[in-house]
Amino acid sequence: MKKKLIYILLFFSNLTLLSQVNTLGTISLTEEAYDGYTLFSSHKNTFLINNCGQVINQWSSDYLPGHSVYILPNGNLIRAGRKGPSTITFGGVGGIVEMFDWDGNLVWEFVYSSDDYRLHHDIYPMPNGNILVLAATVMSNEETILAGRDPNLVSGAGILYNEQILEIKPIGTNDYSIEWEWNFNDHLIQDFDDTKNNYGVISEHPEKLDINFLNDRIPAENWLHINSIQYDETLNQIVISSRNLSELYIIDHSTTTEEAAGETGGTYGKGGDFLYRWGNPAAYGQGNEDDRTLFGQHFPHIIKPGLKDEGKIILFNNGTDREPAFSEVMIISAPTTSPGIYTYEPDSSYGPQTAEFTYSSSEDNDFTSGILSGATRLPNENLLICDGNSGRFFEINSTNDIVWNYIIPMNNTTGEISSQGDVLESGNSTFRGIKYSIDYEGFIGKDVTPGDPIESNFNLNTCLSLSTDNLMNNNITIYPNPVIDIINLNTSLTILKVDIYDVLGKRLNFIKINNRKIDMSNVNRGIYVLKIKTENGIITKKIILY
């Protein structure tokens, strides 16, 4: 009797642990969240986590983020890092791309950093094994003026940064070849100096970029601040994002490098000129500030085939330069006459006039972020949203309910790891998050056993107490409970997997499960949670072992 009383008291004392609310890591989780692994970089680390915040894999680098990171179909990781020396400095600079195998071994690196050029922000792994990289290159004062820049719009240094996209082929462990190249400065127009070759009427050439349009910003070398390049395989097009000009652009990737420098050639017949642009019609003389829809946006990309809204463009509109400042996720449908051929009427702006879908920051869910960030469509039709400045990922369903909420527990500058219960107000920023399906080909044959969460003093009970349907719970019974050694599972459902966790949320890895019997004879006495995965979903049960 005394022994039973002790365990009853133990059970109720542990209810406090089971109901503890997390302040970081996984804050909330429901069964509507997409079952996948989320990839992101923080400090010199890259993490792949499950929805519970447990680390599936971790890679370490010698460099801070530079910024984007991806897992390749063979399980390797490519990561942009920050490496100098270079006099090219602005938010988001990089300089190196590293490739690691699943076990964290460095297998290839690409350094592109000097006083004349430097990688920054984004990279993209191509289906053919090549990699798109983004770089700023220096235009001298002579080149700047020759391109028609108004000298009054040149900063004190007298130079500008051109933006360049390279497609590189990895060779060996640290070599490469350039397979394709595109540059902004091949597609400029201006109406300031009629002695220059690119002089023209801005409003009649939306396929060109006005070198003197600054979007009411102070003249600076980094006048464009390109923060994203994303490739669409179906159309063979690249989507580019300019934060400073608040525009997105789409260009043809089917061109040769020579054609990419001109205005003819390629599948779409326009060479390297813009096929489409959107967000700020004033940039090409077809509107004013009232017509502007983008405000410092990040991560515009074309939604992949097979997903809801496939072929449409999704982006994170940060909301800088407007009052009140607020962020939003937008999905737009670019008008076309056929796939990849965008509709444009002379003396007008590119459509659409408004977004097809908008999800805005609010008092109930404030995700306003002046920098970084992104959003992606998931296979279950949910949206994964990254509030980059706050180091937060959250997932919403079709009715805009939050079904997963996660806060990165690591300082991006120092690498300091926070403890569960800490409240983070800054420092844990991240560039972007990508959620991969658990059956993604890059995970085949790899060890994806969940480890501990990143944070110290972690608490997995948010995950373990995941709400389950009462009817489903009635379809499975466990006995005896309390249990001495053997737990029996009685159900007509097919059991796919059983995990057992202690009250601190730590998974037990040495449990024997055979023919719906669970051997607990080697487990310390206490309170445990069974997480039973069936063909109908996940069921959780609490047990007392005495």
Side-chain angles (χ1 to χ4, degrees):
M1 180 67 183
K2 183 176 180 181
K3 188 174 182 180
K4 289 184 178 179
L5 179 60
I6 290 174
Y7 281 101
I8 291 173
L9 290 174
L10 178 62
F11 175 79
F12 284 105
S13 67
N14 278 295
L15 285 180
T16 301
L17 286 171
L18 290 171
S19 61
Q20 179 179 334
V21 177
N22 288 351
T23 60
L24 43 75
T26 296
I27 305 297
S28 63
L29 174 65
T30 78
E31 289 182 340
E32 291 187 70
Y34 181 64
D35 192 10
Y37 301 142
T38 302
L39 182 75
F40 63 92
S41 279
S42 182
H43 192 243
K44 297 179 180 180
N45 300 280
T46 300
F47 297 98
L48 185 69
I49 62 168
N50 63 14
N51 286 344
C52 295
Q54 295 168 293
V55 176
I56 301 299
N57 204 6
Q58 178 179 350
W59 297 263
S60 296
S61 170
D62 293 331
Y63 305 100
L64 293 171
H67 277 287
S68 60
V69 60
Y70 303 86
I71 294 178
L72 302 178
N74 65 357
N76 285 354
L77 179 100
I78 57 168
R79 177 186 187 272
R82 192 181 312 167
K83 177 180 173 61
S86 176
T87 55
I88 300 175
T89 57
F90 53 83
V93 291
I96 187 171
V97 178
E98 296 177 297
M99 185 183 296
F100 298 90
D101 65 19
W102 183 262
D103 297 320
N105 301 303
L106 181 65
V107 296
W108 176 79
E109 66 178 9
F110 165 63
V111 178
Y112 199 69
S113 180
S114 73
D115 290 342
D116 296 319
Y117 50 81
R118 189 174 188 179
L119 299 175
H120 65 96
H121 281 94
D122 212 359
I123 57 178
Y124 191 91
M126 302 291 281
N128 61 4
N130 295 342
I131 304 170
L132 289 181
V133 299
L134 173 65
T137 67
V138 174
M139 294 175 63
S140 67
N141 183 257
E142 181 181 0
E143 292 171 324
T144 297
I145 300 303
L146 187 62
R149 182 75 160 207
D150 181 346
N152 294 315
L153 300 180
V154 178
S155 66
I159 62 173
L160 286 182
Y161 294 154
N162 167 56
E163 293 284 359
Q164 176 186 77
I165 300 174
L166 300 177
E167 180 180 346
I168 60 171
K169 178 180 179 180
I171 299 174
T173 59
N174 59 3
D175 203 359
Y176 67 95
S177 62
I178 297 177
E179 303 296 305
W180 184 81
E181 179 179 335
W182 181 91
N183 291 272
F184 262 96
N185 61 7
D186 290 324
H187 306 281
L188 301 175
I189 191 172
Q190 50 84 29
D191 58 4
F192 171 74
D193 187 346
D194 61 6
T195 67
K196 302 298 188 294
N197 292 334
N198 63 348
Y199 180 81
V201 180
I202 307 298
S203 61
E204 295 179 0
H205 293 279
E207 76 281 5
K208 306 286 187 181
L209 183 68
D210 180 5
I211 192 174
N212 290 310
F213 180 76
L214 302 188
N215 204 21
D216 292 327
R217 291 180 171 272
I218 297 173
E221 295 94 336
N222 181 35
W223 66 295
L224 295 172
H225 196 94
I226 304 301
N227 57 27
S228 175
I229 52 170
Q230 294 291 299
Y231 176 71
D232 182 76
E233 183 178 4
T234 302
L235 300 175
N236 201 5
Q237 295 177 354
I238 299 172
V239 185
I240 306 168
S241 171
S242 169
R243 179 180 186 270
N244 284 357
L245 301 191
S246 291
E247 278 198 293
L248 67 85
Y249 315 99
I250 295 181
I251 62 171
D252 187 359
H253 175 260
S254 73
T255 58
T256 64
T257 295
E258 183 179 3
E259 290 171 335
E263 52 192 28
T264 60
T267 299
Y268 304 98
K270 292 188 176 182
D273 279 348
F274 300 151
L275 301 177
Y276 177 77
R277 66 195 300 177
W278 193 78
N280 195 2
Y284 51 101
Q286 293 295 348
N288 54 41
E289 183 66 18
D290 293 336
D291 301 306
R292 183 176 168 188
T293 49
L294 294 184
F295 298 85
Q297 78 291 332
H298 282 73
F299 197 31
H301 60 278
I302 297 173
I303 297 174
K304 294 184 181 300
L307 301 180
K308 181 181 179 181
D309 296 316
E310 65 177 279
K312 299 175 184 178
I313 299 171
I314 185 172
L315 59 90
F316 188 98
N317 194 17
N318 294 72
T320 56
D321 302 330
R322 68 178 171 189
E323 291 293 338
F326 66 93
S327 296
E328 59 193 343
V329 175
M330 305 175 77
I331 296 176
I332 68 169
S333 182
T336 59
T337 55
S338 59
I341 306 294
Y342 300 95
T343 304
Y344 181 74
E345 294 294 332
D347 199 27
S348 67
S349 61
Y350 278 97
Q353 297 301 311
T354 59
E356 189 171 292
F357 168 87
T358 301
Y359 175 74
S360 300
S361 179
S362 65
E363 289 185 4
D364 294 333
N365 183 24
D366 185 3
F367 58 92
T368 297
S369 178
I371 57 175
L372 312 166
S373 310
T376 53
R377 177 68 78 186
L378 298 174
N380 67 347
E381 300 190 359
N382 288 352
L383 287 175
L384 175 68
I385 301 173
C386 170
D387 172 358
N389 199 41
S390 299
R392 176 187 175 213
F393 304 115
F394 65 96
E395 191 176 322
I396 61 172
N397 62 13
S398 59
T399 56
N400 296 341
D401 298 316
I402 297 176
V403 297
W404 182 56
N405 198 5
Y406 179 87
I407 295 177
I408 298 173
M410 175 177 281
N411 187 290
N412 192 38
T413 302
T414 66
E416 178 182 0
I417 295 175
S418 296
S419 177
Q420 189 58 259
D422 293 343
V423 178
L424 300 181
E425 296 183 356
S426 63
N428 62 329
S429 63
T430 194
F431 181 60
R432 186 187 294 162
I434 300 176
K435 199 167 195 177
Y436 293 87
S437 171
I438 58 175
D439 59 3
Y440 174 60
E441 59 183 311
F443 304 143
I444 297 175
K446 304 298 190 295
D447 182 1
V448 292
T449 303
D452 291 339
I454 300 169
E455 66 271 15
S456 60
N457 192 32
F458 61 84
N459 169 41
L460 283 170
N461 291 311
T462 297
C463 191
L464 298 180
S465 59
L466 182 66
S467 61
T468 54
D469 188 276
N470 289 330
L471 180 61
M472 188 192 297
N473 269 313
N474 291 334
N475 287 334
I476 187 167
T477 57
I478 59 174
Y479 65 92
N481 190 18
V483 62
I484 298 176
D485 291 317
I486 303 296
I487 303 172
N488 297 280
L489 305 179
N490 182 22
T491 181
S492 60
L493 301 173
T494 300
I495 296 176
L496 304 176
K497 184 181 180 182
V498 178
D499 288 321
I500 302 176
Y501 299 83
D502 63 21
V503 292
L504 295 178
K506 190 168 183 63
R507 180 173 172 269
L508 307 186
N509 295 316
F510 51 87
I511 302 300
K512 297 179 181 178
I513 302 174
N514 184 30
N515 196 26
R516 304 199 179 193
K517 294 181 182 291
I518 304 174
D519 186 352
M520 302 284 287
S521 59
N522 293 322
V523 181
N524 294 329
R525 312 297 92 179
I527 310 297
Y528 294 90
V529 176
L530 270 64
K531 194 170 183 180
I532 306 165
K533 185 174 184 180
T534 74
E535 78 260 35
N536 289 349
I538 297 175
I539 302 168
T540 57
K541 296 280 189 177
K542 296 183 180 71
I543 61 170
I544 302 175
L545 183 62
Y546 73 98

